[in-house]
Amino acid sequence: MLEKRLVVDSVRHLNARCFVVAFRSGEVAAAARAGQFLMVSVTDAIDPLLRRPMAFCELLGPVTARTGFSILVERTGRGTTLMSRLQPETELEVLAPLGTAFRPPSDAEDQCCLVMGGVGSAPFPLLAGDLIAAGHDVTAFIGGRTADHLLCADDLDRLGARVVLATDDGSAGHHGLVTEPLQHHLDEATGGVTVYSCGPTPMMRAVDDIARARGLPHQVSLEAPMACGIGVCLSCVVPVQEADGGWSYQRICREGPVFDADSLIWEHPDA
Amino acid sequence: MPEPTRNPDLTVKVGSLALSNPVMLASGTVGYGDEISKFVSLDKLGGIVVKGLSLEPVRGNRPRRIAETPGGMLNSIGLQNIGVEAFVEEKLPKLRQYDTCVVANIWGTTVDDYAGVAARLDREEGVHALELNVSCPNIKEGGISFGTDARQLHRVTSAARAATSKPLWVKLAPGVTDIGLLARAAEEAGADALSAINTIRGMMVDVARREPVLSTVFGGYSGPGLLPVALYLLFEVKRATPLPLIGIGGINELDHVLQFMTIGASAVQVGTANFYNPGFTGKMVDELIEWCAQHDVDSIEELVGSLQLPAGF
Ligand SMILES: Cc1cc2nc3c(=O)[nH]c(=O)nc-3n(C[C@H](O)[C@H](O)[C@H](O)COP(=O)(O)OP(=O)(O)OC[C@H]3O[C@@H](n4cnc5c(N)ncnc54)[C@H](O)[C@@H]3O)c2cc1C
Ligand SMILES: Cc1cc2nc3c(=O)[nH]c(=O)nc-3n(C[C@H](O)[C@H](O)[C@H](O)COP(=O)(O)O)c2cc1C
Ligand code: FES
């Protein structure tokens, strides 16, 4: 784990809400794995107080000599609004890499379905690059409210993934939920499939229903408000199934953010 | 000839317990030391107060458990902890290896709970002191917090006192009309030192959903905004009792450490700053050494309680 003051290399605005921030740091990039995240301060002052958790989106520079990494940010509140105004050469405090990474499919022959909604696309360019490099066939299912809410389609296409779009309003791709083309794809698929998802909880839960019904391994990346990102505050917990039939809280920042969907309890247990 | 540079003496005493320096980690903000030790060497600190321990493991509250606020944050973790037994088995052996004071923060929902945890830890080498978190409801007394009622505070402190010969600290709760009264109750019941303060109650509202942000509606406010409240309450506690004091609340820079000590704290605990700056306490120790050198302070204990009040106060 590295505690670093990093320099912003560039800020690229994708639309009115979303932007990509590139940081210079070969060291952090060399250590980062798909699915892991960083905690980034948005100011040197004490307001806003807490760092923001952000997924690694892409690693920059050649594989053997990384020069930096990027994050994809959606402006939703005060912290991300301040980040949207970042200028190149600004320095920010970063803790990274944090949390668990996506694991490769247990079967080297598996094809991979990456299912994402909104800014949940953020960790997938990095994952898709790794999976494709390892020889997996990768299809990315990208969902959003409108065409404007579909993120990373070009990046995933450039990396060699098959890209399937779905929008609630039909402004791009399939008119409807992203799980519909996923179902269709799985109906046609031959051979093993590993599923990965990240996005709004109802989407991940629907993907999980589909994966469970077909007995497919499914890894999800979860989020929760985090004060520390390093496991000390216990703010980021999620209920997880125990082997003995009971459940316990696990920390999304340490035991996650990537979990086997099998272990998750989507409906919070009582008491 | 230039004076040889002397290392200032940072050791402080909290009653019979000597700390290598006054900077400690506050309960609930550093777990049991596992993760934070990657950012600050525990050997470098005066001490660590571990997450509040109860007799049995506790799951804690349903999320959402935190909210950021102007100048701080709210939490309602619900005292999630692994229980005193697992602490002794799994965490204490590692903590014993550090050259630092280990303070066990303990709590319960009955007087007997507190006494039980205190008795269990009394046998354990490597636990240097116990700190009672009295900001908990007494379920046998209609849920009134132990820390807000002088009689209850006296009872719970006496029970813990009888159960342990280790130094006993009582961590005072801030939501009271006269904190001096509670400080004296703890003193009379046999506390060796008082720490102040715990979080103060607060709430935030999600207007779009017309709902409280926290699942428990309200929670504990901590962080920079707490500083002046904590300094003032420590001042009132100091006026009420001669016991050694530990200052807690809103510490975000060295000056805040020094302010607590000037009022009368022998040591301080840092909480929320560990979240947004996990290496913070190590930096405080370095800066404290530098400050002493620059201000010709040979021993930091000179500062403790050196506050000059206006005439007639
Ligand atoms: C592991 C992880 C990875 C993430 N990756 C990305 C990413 O790649 N891109 C991206 O745009 N967003 C990502 N998020 C969500 C992002 O952290 C929040 O959108 C962001 O913190 C909101 O900050 P704000 O100040 O704009 O919002 P505010 O609402 O003003 O924030 C107030 C507080 O709530 C917290 N908070 C609010 N919403 C969320 C949320 N959805 N998740 C976690 N904390 C929240 C903030 O961190 C802050 O402490 C990730 C979250 C987690 C946990
Ligand atoms: C997330 C969180 C958990 C806490 N848990 C405990 C606890 O278990 N026992 C306790 O006595 N105090 C607990 N506290 C209170 C702190 O130890 C400290 O008294 C308070 O946060 C004020 O200091 P600060 O402003 O430096 O954070 C907790 C505080 C926070 C923020
Ligand atoms: S964010 Fe603090 S424990 Fe996970």
Side-chain angles (χ1 to χ4, degrees), chain A residues 28-92:
Chain A
V28 170
R33 300 286 171 269
Q36 290 187 301
F37 68 100
L38 54 135
M39 289 294 278
V40 58
S41 63
V42 287
T43 165
D44 278 344
I46 55 169
D47 187 40
L49 188 65
L50 303 171
R51 298 182 190 218
R52 270 40 179 172
M54 293 288 158
F56 287 102
C57 184
E58 285 203 88
L59 302 181
L60 309 173
V63 179
T64 50
R66 295 296 192 196
T67 55
F69 63 89
S70 68
I71 58 175
L72 166 66
V73 187
E74 180 178 25
R75 189 164 52 71
T76 54
R78 279 189 69 213
T80 47
T81 299
L82 285 170
M83 288 178 79
S84 72
R85 299 184 197 132
L86 280 172
Q87 296 296 323
E89 305 306 321
T90 308
E91 294 182 0
L92 293 177

Side-chain angles (χ1 to χ4, degrees), chain A residues 4-10 21-25 60 67-69 86-94:
Chain A
K4 292 270 163 201
R5 197 168 172 82
L6 299 188
V7 181
V8 172
D9 189 65
S10 64
V21 184
F23 290 88
R24 290 202 282 269
S25 174
L60 309 173
T67 55
F69 63 89
L86 280 172
Q87 296 296 323
E89 305 306 321
T90 308
E91 294 182 0
L92 293 177
E93 298 290 334
V94 167

Side-chain angles (χ1 to χ4, degrees), chain B residues 6 27 36 41-42 47-49 52 66 73 81 138 145 148 150 193-194 213 217 225 235 241 246 254:
Chain B
R6 277 168 306 156
S27 179
I36 199 76
S41 160
L42 298 186
I48 171 173
V49 189
I66 57 156
M73 61 176 276
N81 79 100
N138 181 346
S145 163
T148 55
L194 302 176
V213 176
V217 182
F235 172 70
T241 140
I246 300 101
L254 183 70

Side-chain angles (χ1 to χ4, degrees), chain A residues 225-236 251-254:
Chain A
M226 292 182 170
C228 73
I230 59 170
V232 297
C233 73
L234 307 179
S235 65
C236 63
R251 299 165 296 184
I252 290 178
C253 72
R254 290 283 291 176

Side-chain angles (χ1 to χ4, degrees), chain B residues 24-49:
Chain B
M24 306 182 74
L25 299 164
S27 179
T29 65
V30 292
Y32 311 101
D34 295 331
E35 295 89 2
I36 199 76
S37 55
K38 295 180 192 125
F39 296 93
V40 51
S41 160
L42 298 186
D43 292 326
K44 190 172 178 176
L45 302 179
I48 171 173
V49 189

